[in-house]
Amino acid sequence: MSDNTEHSCATCGKSASLQCGRCKNAWYCNRDCQRSDWKTHRKDCSEGDLDRIVTRAGTLLQDVFLIFAERTYASNVVNVEDKGDELVIIDGPRQPGQYFYAFPKNLVHDESDKKMILCAEMCTEAIGYFHDFLKELLTNKCSCTRRQQCQARAPLTLTKETRVKTWVIDPTGPQFSIFTPVTDRDAYWNKYVEQPIEDYDWGENKRTVSEYPQARGYNGLMGRVSWAAIREVDQALSAWKSKHETTLPKLLREPEGKFVSLRASLLSTIDDGLRAFVARSDYRQDVFAAKREGTLMRLESIRRARTTGPAANGSQDDNPTGATDDMLTRVLQSMDPINIHFL
């Protein structure tokens, strides 16, 4: 029951205070009117209920990703410049052996700026790393059919099996000032997209980020750390479900008050797990190794440039990239002591 008497009964038009407990969109003056309207309301109720579930799922996905991004933040940001229509993030030098850095809360003006920075340069990561999380949230509700890349974003398109409605979930949209994580597909496309660039099958995001740990240098290290953090999230999620004897799909169907309470508990549990993960993790040797590998990669590139044959234009320039002995010296000086031999 609700104390709000400004609604009209969907059946008889009288003042109504009884709200449909499922979709929250229809109002009735009594149970008889509600039962009488069910044949008409059933279809709208199903759509409204699903819309609420998808909205909760997409918002929860963004909430979890933002916690993950903040706790595993790996940039030494020294300044953030507000240019009016853009934020410029200025990184400082990394401290020797340090991987994690505290998010620079003192440099952001509000929550929107914080979200923009946490989502900066993120494309497939949110939906890729949290593929299984989102899949469980929407079990038997929607088919997560496509990921469409457009204008440097990678939103996920969801379609109900009956093709009643299609949504777009864009958890990293804040970097483009899109702060609503779930939007009707047509509205999203009309407002933000000129033309999709690429179209991928559901699951491609996860396959992409699964390859990150195999990359050389610092990129590979970032991939390995991220997946270790995701395992921590999974453990925290399992503990939370066991404690509350619930599931993610059941969470999404809870009444608003209980949903808000359980959601806060879930986010707090994940946050605590990630804080503990960062506190006990020691990646100093990994950072040094990644730096050495990255430097070797640069040396290999310079060596290839120095040994390249005559340029394509017929000149005798055997160094088309301009690599010099001075460049080699600077690269070598940036390395930790290791033995390097040019063959």
Side-chain angles (χ1 to χ4, degrees):
M1 297 292 289
S2 171
D3 293 331
N4 190 339
T5 58
E6 297 180 359
H7 299 278
S8 299
C9 178
T11 302
C12 68
K14 295 180 181 179
S15 178
S17 59
L18 182 65
Q19 186 182 29
C20 176
R22 185 180 186 187
C23 70
K24 311 296 183 183
N25 291 326
W27 292 80
Y28 302 95
C29 61
N30 56 51
R31 295 289 183 186
D32 289 337
C33 278
Q34 184 176 18
R35 283 191 289 269
S36 176
D37 187 51
W38 177 240
K39 287 185 178 180
T40 302
H41 178 60
R42 176 182 294 177
K43 181 176 180 294
D44 292 336
C45 185
S46 177
E47 291 183 30
D49 185 47
L50 186 58
D51 187 73
R52 181 166 61 100
I53 288 174
V54 172
T55 299
R56 284 180 171 183
T59 303
L60 190 58
L61 169 66
Q62 185 181 73
D63 291 338
V64 172
F65 174 74
L66 290 173
I67 291 174
F68 165 83
E70 180 175 1
R71 296 299 166 228
T72 61
Y73 204 68
S75 295
N76 183 24
V77 176
V78 295
N79 195 20
V80 177
E81 297 181 0
D82 190 341
K83 299 290 187 178
D85 59 345
E86 65 179 0
L87 291 178
V88 178
I89 307 170
I90 301 174
D91 288 347
R94 294 183 180 276
Q95 300 302 312
Q98 184 172 343
Y99 181 86
F100 296 112
Y101 291 84
F103 181 80
K105 294 181 180 179
N106 59 309
L107 298 178
V108 299
H109 298 97
D110 52 36
E111 193 67 19
S112 295
D113 284 1
K114 178 181 177 181
K115 289 181 179 181
M116 292 178 73
I117 295 173
L118 288 173
C119 293
E121 298 184 342
M122 295 293 181
C123 183
T124 64
E125 285 77 9
I127 295 173
Y129 284 128
F130 293 96
H131 170 98
D132 295 340
F133 177 75
L134 183 60
K135 184 178 180 180
E136 182 180 350
L137 280 170
L138 296 174
T139 299
N140 299 325
K141 295 301 176 186
C142 299
S143 57
C144 307
T145 54
R146 314 294 287 176
R147 174 176 73 82
Q148 293 179 297
Q149 182 173 338
C150 47
Q151 298 179 342
R153 298 193 300 281
L156 177 69
T157 300
L158 300 179
T159 305
K160 190 178 184 300
E161 296 294 350
T162 57
R163 294 283 178 180
V164 171
K165 188 172 182 179
T166 303
W167 300 264
V168 167
I169 293 181
D170 191 357
T172 59
Q175 63 184 307
F176 300 103
S177 297
I178 303 174
F179 295 101
T180 303
V182 182
T183 313
D184 174 80
R185 184 190 184 279
D186 291 339
Y188 184 95
W189 245 240
N190 290 336
K191 187 172 183 179
Y192 301 119
V193 180
E194 294 182 1
Q195 182 177 357
I197 300 172
E198 296 181 80
D199 198 1
Y200 302 96
D201 290 331
W202 165 243
E204 183 64 26
N205 305 68
K206 183 178 180 180
R207 286 189 288 272
T208 298
V209 298
S210 294
E211 296 174 357
Y212 285 1
Q214 282 72 53
R216 296 181 64 186
Y218 215 85
N219 288 338
L221 174 59
M222 292 176 67
R224 293 189 291 275
V225 174
S226 293
W227 276 111
I230 291 298
R231 289 191 289 272
E232 193 69 37
V233 171
D234 290 340
Q235 292 176 13
L237 179 60
S238 296
W240 178 86
K241 289 189 290 188
S242 178
K243 177 181 178 180
H244 293 278
E245 298 181 341
T246 189
T247 64
L248 292 180
K250 185 178 178 181
L251 167 66
L252 298 183
R253 298 195 67 91
E254 294 287 2
E256 186 64 21
K258 188 172 183 180
F259 169 75
V260 170
S261 175
L262 287 174
R263 169 185 167 276
S265 172
L266 172 60
L267 296 179
S268 177
T269 300
I270 291 175
D271 189 36
D272 289 344
L274 286 172
R275 285 176 183 269
F277 164 74
V278 171
R280 69 171 181 269
S281 297
D282 184 356
Y283 286 103
R284 284 176 294 182
Q285 295 304 316
D286 302 86
V287 170
F288 288 131
K291 180 181 178 182
R292 286 194 293 270
E293 187 174 28
T295 304
L296 286 172
M297 291 166 60
R298 293 195 297 274
L299 284 170
E300 290 172 6
S301 177
I302 293 174
R303 184 177 64 178
R304 284 195 299 269
R306 286 167 57 86
T307 57
T308 299
N313 60 10
S315 71
Q316 298 301 309
D317 183 6
D318 64 351
N319 187 13
T321 65
T324 64
D325 290 336
D326 183 55
M327 290 174 62
L328 282 173
T329 300
R330 290 200 302 273
V331 172
L332 288 169
Q333 289 174 342
S334 71
M335 297 185 66
D336 297 311
I338 58 173
N339 294 321
I340 302 174
H341 301 282
F342 288 98
L343 301 178

